[in-house]
Amino acid sequence: MSGFPTGASPVPGLRRDPEWFKTAVFYELLARAFSDTTGSGTGDFQGVISKLDYIQWLGVDCIWLPPFYASPLRDGGYDIADYTAVLPEFGTIEDFRQLVGEAHARGIRIITDFVMNHTSDQHPWFQASRSDPDGPYGDFYVWSDTDEKYDGVRIIFVDTEESNWTFDPIRRQFFWHRFFSHQPDLNYENPAVIDAMKDVVRFWMDMGIDGFRLDAIPYLIEEEGHNGENHPRTHEIVREIRAMVDEEYPGRILLAEANQPPAEVVDYFGSDEEPECQMCFHFPVMPMLYYALRDERAAPIIDVLADTPPIPAGGQWGTFLRNHDELTLEMVTPEQRAAMYGWYAPDPRMRANVGIRRRLWPLLGNSRAEVELIHALVLSLPGSPCLYYGDEIGMGDNIWLEDRDASRTPMQWTPDRNAGFSSADPGKLYLPVVDSLAFNRGAINVESAMAQPSSFLHWLRKVLAARKEHPVFGVGDFTVVESGNERVLAFLRTDKRNRTPEDRSARTVLCVNNLSSTAQGASVQLGVEYAGARVRDVIGGAVFNVVGDDGRVPVTLGDRGWFWLALETDEDRG
Ligand code: NOJ
């Protein structure tokens, strides 16, 4: 690809900041989907290495790599057959080690997935467990003579599974699984399982990774009469893993994937005294961002954040718009879900389980204004944002593919064959490149986006850079302020930490967001303590006005418009 600016800045190496994750921007990419350097039709580690300059250029601090381990790939690699081997088509362990080193040299961290809850039925542990019940692996899984235990535990993959139990004809017992019937759950009542999994943690941490996303963490323990989610023993196990990481690999992070209501998900932070994960994905807020865009009111976002309890000082939310799964609607009310299916998934093929299997840009009708607004929200609300590969160039999806493959198609680099992803015969690709009318590879690719100064890619890079200049977006307190207009969401981010005199970053930023499709005015009530503060646009630097003596500031916003406004008091000016 010609003319691509490499991240030509001097190689910075990793920032020495134990709280790096609080101001980081994450980027999820599938090794399979990113870049194929061998002509196999599937992406590989060398491909990711070859694109690190691009990722650095964009302003990403940490890559999240979903499973690349040995697997029959019946669940995108979340069905692991060997925790310490990589899929040969992705390369070797040495390639992976090189990837970590090359990323670190560019100041980019890497976290990977730790699929704790279950393995593939192809895993040798399961093979041994089913064939030798009295052997060392006999109790590695959850076996039962009946399929009636733990009645009332919900089924997660409602599209494909009818029960959480499956009969194994070899052991002649039922085994427990919260996901696909080829993914038996590990038995965390067995201390040998915990020991074996700690060794898996050590293996990858020794390889230099910066942390783990803990996949499907709420489901480790089940008990009769319990709903099988967030069991107190599950929390004990997470604390045990955290204590081990803190002791043996201080500074590495754990990020919880707990698709749970706000009050339950916060429990995965633990407490300052007994920590669990440094980060948790904020599942409940994500669908509300989409809901608010169609409802054109701020209330859904305000309400879900009001329902979110405070988190320990050492914690940080992970926020996101899309990922490799369906846009889950498990955390919304039935009425909201019905509305969202109507707005965002009119074709039944767009739905999967309790959610929507589409990418960001098609969801938002390819509206640049809406995509910019929803990014402005996810980049300014509390938490560290995680982007999904391809969204930065406006990639489309393919709902004619099965399940969540709809949004796992190859990254589009150029307008050429296979969008520059691979030199293979197009029919050999692991999934076809998206070539729909609105989202065809000729128009939607990195090279074209690079060549257009007005592209979303350049816009996003600029906004990420502005965010990076102001750590308040990562570490600041969050307070909703009255805007006098139900369509305008206004909030303050305030950095209350002690700062050095050289620190010129904004201490307080007012974020105003017009959720409606028509222009709106608002009179934001900041409080008299801000009277006289200068109101400066964070992105462009222009001073708009000063806060009135009554503590109010008027704002006019175009449709889907937004501003990040630094409030500069005399104290800030020094
Ligand atoms: C959560 C992962 O994100 C998803 O892709 C997977 O299917 C389930 N865990 C089950 O492994």
Side-chain angles (χ1 to χ4, degrees):
M1 201 167 63
S2 62
F4 170 67
T6 64
S9 56
V11 170
L14 290 183
R15 239 184 335 135
R16 271 183 215 281
D17 173 6
E19 302 221 305
W20 62 269
F21 57 90
K22 290 193 174 174
T23 49
V25 170
F26 290 71
Y27 182 88
E28 179 191 6
L29 72 88
L30 312 179
R32 166 170 304 273
F34 217 52
S35 179
D36 167 17
T37 57
T38 63
S40 66
T42 209
D44 47 56
F45 294 138
Q46 289 300 332
V48 181
I49 292 171
S50 73
K51 302 299 184 188
L52 285 173
D53 284 342
Y54 165 74
I55 295 170
Q56 181 190 21
W57 173 86
L58 183 57
V60 167
D61 302 289
C62 183
I63 295 170
W64 158 29
L65 276 183
F68 46 78
Y69 318 105
S71 162
L73 294 180
R74 296 177 69 193
D75 180 20
Y78 283 91
D79 47 334
I80 296 177
D82 182 345
Y83 281 104
T84 56
V86 302
L87 266 174
E89 62 236 55
F90 292 169
T92 62
I93 286 274
E94 274 320 304
D95 291 327
F96 180 77
R97 201 191 296 275
Q98 185 191 345
L99 168 58
V100 173
E102 299 251 5
H104 284 175
R106 290 168 176 78
I108 300 170
R109 290 182 159 86
I110 295 207
I111 63 168
T112 65
D113 252 284
F114 185 35
V115 186
M116 286 183 80
N117 180 66
H118 48 268
T119 69
S120 160
D121 59 7
Q122 302 304 304
H123 197 293
W125 295 344
F126 186 74
Q127 295 300 327
S129 196
R130 74 192 325 188
S131 57
D132 185 7
D134 299 322
Y137 296 99
D139 281 339
F140 257 52
Y141 295 85
V142 182
W143 294 101
S144 165
D145 289 331
T146 80
D147 60 356
E148 273 149 32
K149 276 169 83 178
Y150 314 140
D151 194 25
V153 172
R154 75 183 168 117
I155 293 167
I156 297 172
F157 283 168
V158 287
D159 284 358
T160 45
E161 302 304 318
E162 285 174 358
S163 167
N164 289 318
W165 291 106
T166 289
F167 185 72
D168 179 52
I170 297 178
R171 179 151 159 164
R172 304 208 59 76
Q173 277 188 309
F174 294 89
F175 64 88
W176 178 252
H177 56 88
R178 289 307 302 275
F179 295 95
F180 288 120
S181 57
H182 54 77
Q183 282 169 320
D185 276 30
L186 286 161
N187 173 18
Y188 276 89
E189 299 292 6
N190 179 354
V193 167
I194 302 182
D195 286 347
M197 295 306 273
K198 283 183 175 169
D199 283 344
V200 175
V201 172
R202 292 187 181 103
F203 181 88
W204 292 105
M205 296 259 172
D206 285 343
M207 202 77 66
I209 62 161
D210 300 283
F212 274 126
R213 167 188 181 267
L214 302 185
D215 179 69
I217 197 72
Y219 317 113
L220 302 186
I221 295 281
E222 37 286 322
E223 185 187 328
E224 208 52 61
H226 190 271
N227 72 0
E229 310 196 2
N230 315 319
H231 193 283
R233 280 274 301 132
T234 292
H235 284 287
E236 264 176 45
I237 293 161
V238 182
R239 284 198 291 274
E240 199 178 322
I241 299 279
R242 171 67 186 270
M244 178 204 126
V245 170
D246 279 356
E247 178 162 342
E248 298 177 30
Y249 305 95
R252 318 287 178 97
I253 65 161
L254 301 177
L255 162 57
E257 189 226 6
N259 188 358
Q260 297 286 317
E264 269 94 63
V265 72
V266 287
D267 291 343
Y268 289 93
F269 286 108
S271 62
D272 282 326
E273 299 71 40
E274 289 193 292
E276 293 187 18
C277 298
Q278 287 92 337
M279 294 185 70
C280 297
F281 277 128
H282 200 315
F283 276 92
V285 77
M286 180 275 297
M288 287 301 107
L289 302 180
Y290 291 93
Y291 188 89
L293 276 191
R294 289 289 167 269
D295 188 43
E296 304 199 6
R297 289 184 315 121
I301 300 174
I302 295 174
D303 292 349
V304 70
L305 291 171
D307 283 347
T308 304
I311 62 173
Q316 170 69 317
W317 288 111
T319 49
F320 61 102
L321 297 173
R322 290 297 294 113
N323 61 22
H324 66 282
D325 285 327
E326 70 275 22
L327 191 171
T328 166
L329 297 178
E330 282 170 317
M331 289 304 116
V332 307
T333 64
E335 294 74 26
Q336 289 169 335
R337 193 174 304 136
M340 289 187 75
Y341 276 139
W343 289 326
Y344 288 117
D347 186 322
R349 276 201 75 87
M350 295 169 175
R351 303 176 190 181
N353 297 312
V354 187
I356 303 175
R357 51 188 206 101
R358 302 182 75 190
R359 264 190 180 266
L360 175 69
W361 282 77
L363 277 166
L364 298 185
N366 219 4
S367 158
R368 171 86 179 252
E370 289 183 15
V371 170
E372 286 188 8
L373 173 60
I374 206 165
H375 275 85
L377 287 167
V378 84
L379 296 177
S380 61
L381 287 169
S384 292
C386 183
L387 311 173
Y388 185 52
Y389 84 95
D391 286 348
E392 75 274 23
I393 53 165
M395 253 171 71
D397 52 34
N398 182 350
I399 59 164
W400 308 106
L401 299 174
E402 291 307 309
D403 194 6
R404 292 154 292 168
D405 281 351
S407 47
R408 298 176 180 178
T409 59
M411 179 68 176
Q412 295 167 199
W413 296 102
T414 72
D416 309 323
R417 168 154 56 107
N418 300 327
F421 160 75
S422 167
S423 61
D425 182 317
K428 199 176 166 190
L429 298 195
Y430 77 95
L431 286 176
V433 169
V434 172
D435 229 349
S436 62
L437 208 49
F439 297 96
N440 63 82
R441 68 170 202 277
I444 312 290
N445 60 75
V446 173
E447 191 175 39
S448 305
M450 285 282 183
Q452 300 171 65
S454 63
S455 66
F456 177 74
L457 179 66
H458 284 295
W459 177 93
L460 181 63
R461 178 172 184 254
K462 179 182 73 180
V463 175
L464 292 182
R467 187 181 190 276
K468 187 162 291 183
E469 264 180 51
H470 301 286
V472 62
F473 289 109
V475 299
D477 290 356
F478 169 81
T479 322
V480 172
V481 287
E482 185 52 59
S483 74
N485 182 337
E486 64 167 1
R487 305 200 179 279
V488 176
L489 172 64
F491 55 87
L492 287 174
R493 302 298 313 272
T494 314
D495 183 356
K496 297 211 170 115
R497 302 172 308 171
N498 292 333
R499 295 143 48 107
T500 59
E502 303 77 57
D503 185 350
R504 307 309 295 169
S505 71
R507 186 182 294 271
T508 305
V509 176
L510 166 65
C511 303
V512 276
N513 305 277
N514 176 12
L515 294 157
S516 97
S517 51
T518 56
Q520 299 288 325
S523 174
V524 180
Q525 176 65 63
L526 292 169
V528 286
E529 65 272 33
Y530 291 102
R534 288 201 304 177
V535 179
R536 184 191 291 280
D537 177 30
V538 166
I539 308 282
V543 173
F544 282 14
N545 46 20
V546 292
V547 179
D549 289 341
D550 56 358
R552 284 184 183 276
V553 62
V555 189
T556 310
L557 297 142
D559 58 298
R560 312 290 189 187
W562 60 277
F563 290 118
W564 294 346
L565 301 168
L567 302 178
E568 298 173 350
T569 61
D570 287 342
E571 196 193 327
D572 296 326
R573 286 195 286 264

